[in-house]
């Protein structure tokens, strides 16, 4: 009898330990939560040059945009649809340098660029120098999904856009008094100097928009849309439509969207560099972003910022300018909206 009791107790203990073990998470598992983050450009954004009522106006649009993408993700939507709808709101607002509020070129036109990348397949789409596409991010997505190419530009890109049913508008849709005045100011300052002045120095803030999302399936997508730089000439193209420079996504590491002085972001291959530091040097997203934005980029002379999400849903934003319009929300958490370096 005593012997039977002993065996019963032993069997009970073994099964209890077994049950407990099977409920314990594997060591490398991560709690994947869906998450979304956006930026509305980095630059000389401080409480001194943005009064309270203007801050409220910006905040309102940033909240609406992040909320839109969050709702898509919450309802099992894809990260691609989340970034598209979020960026569309920013493109439709005259406040940001993308879509409707795009800056003017030297020739007083608006030439827009955008790109998108998906972290699971590494598919990407990009467009440069379009003048009649209402939402350039939509065209970048169409290029990725419905063409054999990654990047289209100018008239050909617009021809493809029409074929795909992407919404087109008259170029006058992009006229905003504020941006036109900025161009005149830059030109006036430039005319007083004998040497060529980089327009970025005079524009004070960049205003490009971008969004990164991680959906419930664990897929990361990054997208960026911009009007480029005020007073740009010669069909100049910045980093925003360059995969690896302004936009990058890889489910093994992170998704990144950049804003800043494009020439430096291209030369620094900034978005990819952050991913590569994680992939090859084992840095966390936070460490990688710090290294690139606070060491590598300033050492080259560049300024700007990034938003990013890693595969575990960690959200990071870093910038080396006085401010960056930004907002984020993670599953079950509050929305964060910030503009300046110290909030
Ligand atoms: N990076 C963009 C460009 O160089 C500008 C911006 O971020 O606002 O075209």
């Amino acid at each position: 009898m005593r012997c039977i009791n002993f065996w019963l107790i032993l069997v009970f203990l073994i099964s209890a330990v077994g049950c407990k073990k099977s409920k314990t998470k594997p060591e490398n598992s991560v709690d994947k939560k869906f998450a979304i983050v956006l930026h509305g450009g980095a630059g000389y954004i401080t409480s001194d040059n943005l009064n309270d009522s203007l801050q409220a106006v910006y905040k309102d649009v940033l909240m609406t945009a992040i909320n839109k993408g969050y709702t898509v993700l919450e309802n099992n939507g894809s990260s691609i649809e989340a970034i598209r709808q979020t960026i569309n709101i920013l493109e439709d607002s005259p406040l940001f340098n993308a879509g409707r509020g795009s800056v003017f070129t030297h020739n007083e036109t608006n030439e827009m660029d955008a790109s998108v990348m998906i972290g699971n397949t590494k598919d990407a789409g990009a467009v440069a120098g379009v003048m009649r596409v209402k939402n350039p991010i939509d065209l970048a997505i169409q290029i990725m999904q419905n063409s054999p190419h990654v990047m289209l530009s100018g008239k050909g890109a617009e021809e493809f856009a029409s074929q795909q049913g992407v919404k087109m508008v008259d170029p006058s849709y992009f006229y905003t008094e504020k941006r036109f005045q900025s161009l005149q100011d830059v030109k006036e300052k430039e005319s007083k100097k004998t040497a060529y002045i980089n327009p970025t120095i005079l524009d004070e803030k960049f205003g490009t928009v971008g969004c990164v999302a991680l959906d419930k399936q664990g897929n990361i997508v990054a997208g960026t849309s911009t009007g480029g730089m005020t007073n740009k000439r010669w069909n100049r193209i910045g980093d925003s439509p360059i995969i690896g420079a302004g936009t990058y996504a890889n489910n093994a590491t992170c998704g990144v969207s950049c804003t800043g002085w494009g020439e430096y972001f291209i030369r620094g291959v900034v978005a990819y560099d952050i991913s590569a530091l994680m992939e090859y040097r084992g840095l966390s997203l936070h460490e990688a972003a710090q290294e690139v934005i606070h060491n590598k980029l300033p050492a080259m002379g560049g300024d700007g910022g990034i938003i990013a999400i890693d595969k575990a849903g960690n959200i990071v934003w870093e910038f080396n300018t006085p401010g960056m319009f930004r907002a984020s929300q993670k599953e079950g958490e509050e929305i964060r909206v910030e503009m300046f370096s110290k909030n």
Side-chain angles (χ1 to χ4, degrees), residues 20-90:
K20 200 167 176 213
K21 214 171 177 187
S22 69
K23 277 184 189 156
T24 311
K25 276 191 265 166
E27 248 172 42
N28 294 329
S29 79
V30 282
D31 281 322
K32 268 202 190 108
K33 289 191 166 191
F34 66 86
I36 185 160
V37 59
L38 68 80
H39 70 75
Y44 199 70
I45 301 159
T46 67
S47 51
D48 290 341
N49 62 23
L50 211 63
N51 65 35
D52 286 354
S53 59
L54 208 48
Q55 283 180 40
V57 173
Y58 271 99
K59 195 171 175 182
D60 193 47
V61 183
L62 295 171
M63 294 267 285
T64 307
I66 203 75
N67 192 258
K68 189 86 178 175
Y70 184 88
T71 307
V72 170
L73 297 173
E74 195 174 33
N75 293 327
N76 297 317
S78 67
S79 39
I80 184 143
E81 192 51 24
I83 70 108
R84 191 184 73 77
Q85 293 196 24
T86 299
I87 291 178
N88 279 177
I89 288 176
L90 302 171

Side-chain angles (χ1 to χ4, degrees), residues 247-270:
T247 303
Y248 191 73
N250 179 352
N251 278 5
T253 53
C254 63
V256 183
S257 169
C258 304
T259 172
W261 193 335
E263 279 66 14
Y264 290 90
F265 280 71
I266 294 174
R267 287 154 55 198
V269 203
V270 167

